[in-house]
């Protein structure tokens, strides 16, 4: 498939979504390449994956910079050195700073393991999301892929997929099924940008036919 986008993936942990995106690329399902992986965790699994696959990578954490402006400048310079034109958050546990969102306006995507706007926002991440879904007694959950703005889990929704919550589900089993759905879905949302099918009008995403 022709490569139309160079992705910069930001991830804090294991990076199973990052790996699923690379697999979609390898399988010819996504017209993009991963040009850079950034993690704020020095020992992140996703950085090991980058090394294995010879993908340029960087450990960049705001905690290593005395001025936040310097951190943002370093992130932006690293993105630009690697020709990144689209940012993918895949389990990135930090907010993306304004200077980066300004440069990559409507070109930063995040994945959340529930159907937003329910069960999202500050403090709702990882198994806490699934525990909240179960505690509420919701009968469906799923995946939301959305553009990123300056609030947690808030930007315009690009794609959602739902699954049933089973009465025997625990936070762990629900997390497992949702993660599988994440892996099947994220590359499809990115492909919409590759095909230039996404229009954002007044904070609403419209998908061109
Ligand atoms: C995923 O559940 C994603 O929805 C959330 O963080 C988790 C990351 O998992 N934002 P992984 O690092 O991609 O395995």
């Amino acid at each position: 498939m022709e490569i139309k986008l160079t992705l910069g993936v930001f991830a804090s942990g294991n990076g199973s979504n990052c790996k699923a995106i690379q697999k979609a690329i390898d399988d010819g399902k996504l017209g993009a390449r991963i040009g850079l992986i950034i993690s704020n965790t020095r020992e992140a699994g996703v950085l090991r994956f980058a090394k294995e696959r010879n993908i340029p990578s960087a450990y960049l954490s705001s905690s290593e910079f005395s001025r936040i402006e310097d951190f943002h400048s370093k992130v932006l310079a690293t993105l630009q050195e690697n020709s990144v034109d689209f940012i993918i958050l895949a389990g990135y546990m930090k907010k993306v700073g304004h200077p980066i969102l300004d440069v990559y306006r409507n070109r930063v995507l995040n994945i959340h393991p529930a159907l937003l706007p329910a069960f999202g926002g500050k403090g709702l991440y990882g198994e806490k999301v699934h525990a909240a879904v179960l505690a509420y007694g919701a009968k469906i959950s799923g995946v939301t892929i959305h553009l990123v703005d300056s609030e947690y889990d808030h930007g315009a929704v690009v794609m959602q997929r739902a699954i049933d919550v089973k009465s025997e589900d625990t936070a762990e089993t629900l997390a497992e099924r949702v993660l599988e759905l994440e892996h099947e879905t994220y590359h499809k949302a990115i492909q919409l940008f590759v095909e230039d099918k996404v229009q954002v009008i007044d904070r609403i995403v419209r998908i061109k036919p």
Side-chain angles (χ1 to χ4, degrees), residues 171-183:
E172 213 181 10
T173 60
L174 184 57
E176 242 171 61
R177 291 209 315 292
V178 170
L179 190 61
E180 238 173 75
L181 185 63
E182 292 183 45
H183 297 163

Side-chain angles (χ1 to χ4, degrees), residues 5-199:
L5 284 183
T6 295
L7 310 175
V9 177
F10 287 38
S12 301
N14 178 36
S16 71
N17 275 289
C18 178
K19 293 172 193 163
I21 290 166
Q22 182 59 53
K23 183 166 189 315
I25 293 170
D26 296 342
D27 293 348
K29 293 179 182 166
L30 176 58
R33 66 180 191 103
I34 300 179
L36 174 68
I37 297 177
I38 288 181
S39 184
N40 62 317
T41 313
R42 201 192 286 277
E43 303 299 331
V46 76
L47 291 179
R48 282 198 295 280
F49 173 71
K51 297 244 151 50
E52 278 162 32
R53 296 294 304 250
N54 282 319
I55 299 169
S57 64
Y59 158 65
L60 287 176
S61 166
S62 57
S63 63
E64 307 265 343
F65 292 76
S66 47
R67 285 166 18 109
I68 192 73
E69 295 86 341
D70 296 341
F71 170 65
H72 291 148
S73 303
K74 179 69 185 169
V75 171
L76 272 175
T78 311
L79 291 167
Q80 278 155 15
E81 276 157 23
N82 289 282
S83 310
V84 168
D85 38 36
F86 203 94
I87 296 175
I88 302 295
L89 307 187
Y92 186 60
M93 306 304 276
K94 295 277 176 184
K95 272 196 179 176
V96 177
H98 271 294
I100 298 156
L101 293 179
D102 286 346
V103 174
Y104 287 88
R105 196 177 136 69
N106 289 339
R107 288 183 293 144
V108 184
L109 274 186
N110 182 42
I111 189 160
H112 183 75
L115 297 173
L116 292 174
F119 310 114
K122 195 167 165 52
L124 278 171
Y125 58 87
E127 283 211 354
K128 291 183 186 176
V129 176
H130 306 291
V133 168
L134 293 176
Y136 192 78
K139 299 298 178 256
I140 57 168
S141 190
V143 171
T144 302
I145 294 155
H146 63 93
L147 288 165
V148 172
D149 63 14
S150 53
E151 286 175 52
Y152 279 114
D153 301 327
H154 180 264
V157 172
V158 175
M159 190 177 273
Q160 291 185 304
R161 291 286 182 273
I163 53 166
D164 288 330
V165 176
K166 298 179 184 169
S167 48
E168 66 272 24
D169 263 327
T170 61
E172 213 181 10
T173 60
L174 184 57
E176 242 171 61
R177 291 209 315 292
V178 170
L179 190 61
E180 238 173 75
L181 185 63
E182 292 183 45
H183 297 163
E184 288 164 21
T185 312
Y186 213 173
H187 65 89
K188 294 181 185 162
I190 301 167
Q191 183 62 18
L192 292 175
F193 289 87
V194 169
E195 292 172 12
D196 197 21
K197 285 192 172 167
V198 178
Q199 255 182 322

